[in-house]
Amino acid sequence: MTETQRSLGPLLIGLTGGIGAGKSTVAALFRARGAAVVDADAIAREVVEPGEPALAALAEEFGHGILSEDGALDRAALATAAFASPDRTAALNAIVHPAIGDRTLARMTELADHGVVVHDVPLLVENGMTARYHLSVLVDVPEDIRLERLTTSRGLDRDDALRRIRAQADDAQRLLACDAVLDNSTTEQELAAGFTALWEDRIAPFSRHRADGTPAPIPAPASAESADGGESPSALDAAGARLVARIEHIASAVGITCTTTHTAGP
């Protein structure tokens, strides 16, 4: 890492996709390229392990019935107690979310000297987090294929799998929210080829231009093209909205108040 890169910090990439899309496979591809990966699900499990302050706070809030005999969290019991009402869910979130945020920030700080840091977040789109990253990457698999994978590879009941899928953003929402798309609906070989193209054509040049302080070429939006082969208005609007969100996020981080207006392209 050059001194310029070190002063700028890592290139931050948000990685997301629906349940069953194969984010862990893509995370492994990032690691193979030398990127550091921060797993949101792993952190969510870490902060409620025995001995963690968040677990003690949960037991105090919801009762020691949420703990197993060995003192570990009984997730089923917690779910029953925490999702009984909106107020109980809010109490759960008030304990867990700050703990996850603090642990994530600590992990990101530890990785400040890495060139590329990937944040693997299942609910990145649902939580409106895309503006926090230099690039948001979607692992895209149609719902019917994810449903098949969940019921065969993971052994989930079909109704349960469908409920979990429908609780998340739909495919169209993710496509409009993310900057780049990796298709994982076919084979691992094709996914790897798509990842290589993304890394070599977009991520590596982005990192180089950022370190050099030079503008990088602007790629086409991730969303589908219109029938005449051009970019659809929704894709252009979404790309503009992502840019505006990033500007507002950066301005907020440095204490600048700004008003931006985004108008649709022709």
Side-chain angles (χ1 to χ4, degrees):
M1 174 180 278
T2 66
E3 286 303 317
T4 301
Q5 288 172 311
R6 184 171 288 106
S7 65
L8 289 172
L11 180 67
L12 295 177
I13 297 176
L15 175 64
T16 195
I19 182 173
K23 294 184 299 299
S24 60
T25 301
V26 175
L29 293 172
F30 272 111
R31 288 190 181 94
R33 289 280 184 167
V37 177
V38 178
D39 186 332
D41 280 346
I43 288 177
R45 292 190 294 270
E46 287 175 15
V47 299
V48 292
E49 289 177 349
E52 291 287 343
L55 182 59
L58 288 172
E60 181 177 350
E61 178 70 34
F62 295 99
H64 287 271
I66 67 166
L67 303 177
S68 61
E69 291 183 1
D70 62 358
L73 178 65
D74 183 333
R75 295 181 180 277
L78 175 62
T80 299
F83 298 123
S85 70
D87 286 347
R88 294 286 75 201
T89 302
L92 168 69
N93 292 339
I95 294 170
V96 175
H97 286 182
I100 293 173
D102 290 346
R103 184 66 56 87
T104 301
L105 178 60
R107 195 67 46 80
M108 291 290 191
T109 302
E110 293 169 359
L111 298 171
D113 285 343
H114 270 69
V116 178
V117 173
V118 178
H119 193 192
D120 180 350
V121 188
L123 299 182
L124 184 148
V125 172
E126 291 84 346
N127 291 335
M129 296 171 62
T130 54
R132 302 181 185 185
Y133 309 99
H134 299 105
L135 188 74
S136 53
V137 177
L138 169 65
V139 184
D140 186 41
V141 178
E143 180 182 296
D144 59 334
I145 297 178
R146 288 189 282 122
L147 180 60
E148 177 67 19
R149 290 177 180 176
L150 290 171
T151 55
T152 55
S153 299
R154 297 196 190 180
L156 292 182
D157 172 78
R158 180 180 176 83
D159 289 341
D160 182 34
L162 191 58
R163 177 184 60 80
R164 297 189 189 197
I165 288 173
R166 295 288 168 81
Q168 298 181 340
D170 62 31
D171 295 338
Q173 290 170 322
R174 291 194 189 91
L175 284 168
L176 290 175
C178 293
D179 304 295
V181 177
L182 286 172
D183 181 4
N184 190 25
S185 63
T186 55
T187 66
E188 289 189 10
Q189 291 76 14
E190 291 187 2
L191 173 64
F195 177 84
T196 296
L198 173 64
W199 183 275
E200 295 181 353
D201 298 343
R202 190 161 185 180
I203 295 174
F206 190 170
S207 184
R208 287 196 301 270
H209 281 285
R210 185 166 174 265
D212 294 341
T214 57
I218 300 175
S223 307
E225 293 183 343
S226 62
D228 63 3
E231 295 158 359
S232 68
S234 61
L236 290 172
D237 287 347
R242 292 195 298 270
L243 177 59
V244 168
R246 285 192 173 99
I247 293 171
E248 292 176 340
H249 178 73
I250 294 169
S252 176
V254 298
I256 298 174
T257 300
C258 63
T259 301
T260 53
T261 301
H262 173 59
T263 56

